[in-house]
Amino acid sequence: MLDASDSFVTEDGRTIGGVVMEMKNITLRFGGVVAIKDISFDIREGEIRAIIGPNGAGKSSMLNVISGFYVPQEGEVLFHGKQRPPMRPYEVARQGIARTFQNIALFEGMSVLDNVMTGRLNNMKAGLFQQAFWKGRAEKEEVANREVVEKIIDFLEIQAIRKTPVSRLPYGLKKRVELARALAAEPKLLLLDEPMAGMNVEEKEDMSRFILDVNDEFGTTIALIEHDMGVVMDLSDRVVVMDYGKKIGDGTPDEVRNNQNVIDAYLGVSHD
Ligand SMILES: Nc1ncnc2c1ncn2[C@@H]1O[C@H](COP(=O)(O)OP(=O)(O)OP(=O)(O)O)[C@@H](O)[C@H]1O
Ligand SMILES: [Mg+2]
């Protein structure tokens, strides 16, 4: 049995660290709907942790609990071993957590560059007062923010479209811009809600490569929801499987693939 602080080496030789986020007996209800039923699992430092399951299983709800957006009625969320109090979005960002959404949430009329810059809003320390009366500090910060943003734009190979309004981009590139905006916050934990939904094979391959590169080069811990089982099996170190709000599997991709409950849940269920 692995301790919270232990690290381990995966089948493909990747070293995964201690537990950074622990969900303990989480239950989340919306009125009469129980979206999450008594689920426990953890996320370890440096891993790519997939959350999978049929439509309506409660995956996005779970990501919203991890991000602090939803506070569960029952259970505990431990972040670096401490119980996490309800937080506002800027507090979540300051804790090093960033996310993308199932439905793209970008400013369509703004350029790619400006959208990615919004990812840094929570990293800015100079308040409005300082921006107005103490220009030096605000300007210095602006330069530093730009440097980070330009680095991310290069990293995700979107230099050629930096001035383009997001509304003019094809879907696959919008998803990449959303990833850029999340990365601009320099998160330690990155949450991706279906980063490849609606993409063609080539776009999925690109996105998979970027996710692996982010994990590898920045050491970012990643939790992602994805329907494409091929992608999940290729990318993730460990997988949590949800069905009707319950956890029905948890383990390495191979373990999950051979789990009878998981196989049953997936039979006859359509996925988009
Ligand atoms: N804000 C909400 N208010 C009421 N019910 C909700 C809300 N969000 C989710 N639900 C319900 O909770 C259940 C789980 O939804 P959730 O969006 O978490 O599933 P999902 O696994 O992400 O599904 P999908 O694969 O379709 O994105 C569903 O029954 C859904 O209708
Ligand atoms: Mg969802």
Side-chain angles (χ1 to χ4, degrees), residues 18 197 229:
M229 293 300 269

Side-chain angles (χ1 to χ4, degrees), residues 54-61 102 193-194 225 227:
N55 295 115
K59 305 178 298 295
S60 294
S61 301
Q102 186 164 357
D193 196 342
E194 302 201 22
I225 298 172
H227 278 297

Side-chain angles (χ1 to χ4, degrees), residues 81-194:
K82 291 202 194 96
Q83 187 158 2
R84 196 178 61 177
M87 290 187 298
R88 295 181 175 279
Y90 72 87
E91 292 172 312
V92 173
R94 289 205 175 145
Q95 298 226 333
I97 301 175
R99 66 171 301 179
T100 64
F101 294 85
Q102 186 164 357
N103 301 308
I104 292 171
L106 291 167
F107 298 101
E108 291 272 325
M110 280 165 44
S111 70
V112 166
L113 179 63
D114 287 343
N115 266 284
V116 181
M117 279 298 277
T118 64
R120 286 212 62 81
L121 284 176
N122 289 306
N123 301 64
M124 294 187 189
K125 296 200 179 60
L128 274 183
F129 180 83
Q130 285 177 347
Q131 283 175 32
F133 298 106
W134 192 14
K135 271 187 97 199
R137 174 163 178 184
E139 266 170 17
K140 245 188 237 160
E141 235 179 50
E142 169 88 15
V143 171
N145 282 326
R146 284 226 165 222
E147 268 175 26
V148 173
V149 165
E150 294 296 348
K151 189 179 82 183
I152 303 290
I153 285 178
D154 284 352
F155 186 80
L156 292 182
E157 298 166 16
I158 47 177
Q159 306 91 328
I161 53 161
R162 49 207 290 294
K163 293 277 165 60
T164 309
V166 162
S167 59
R168 289 216 231 125
L169 298 177
Y171 181 80
L173 273 180
K174 284 186 187 175
K175 291 289 243 191
R176 205 188 298 179
V177 174
E178 232 204 342
L179 176 61
R181 189 197 48 198
L183 288 179
E186 297 178 287
K188 295 250 183 310
L189 174 61
L190 177 64
L191 310 175
L192 307 173
D193 196 342
E194 302 201 22

Side-chain angles (χ1 to χ4, degrees), residues 17 25 40 53 56 75 115 119 139 149 177 184 189 196 225 235-236 244-245 266:
N25 304 101
S40 303
N115 266 284
E139 266 170 17
V149 165
V177 174
L189 174 61
M196 284 165 251
I225 298 172
L235 279 188
S236 50
Y244 293 111
Y266 271 86

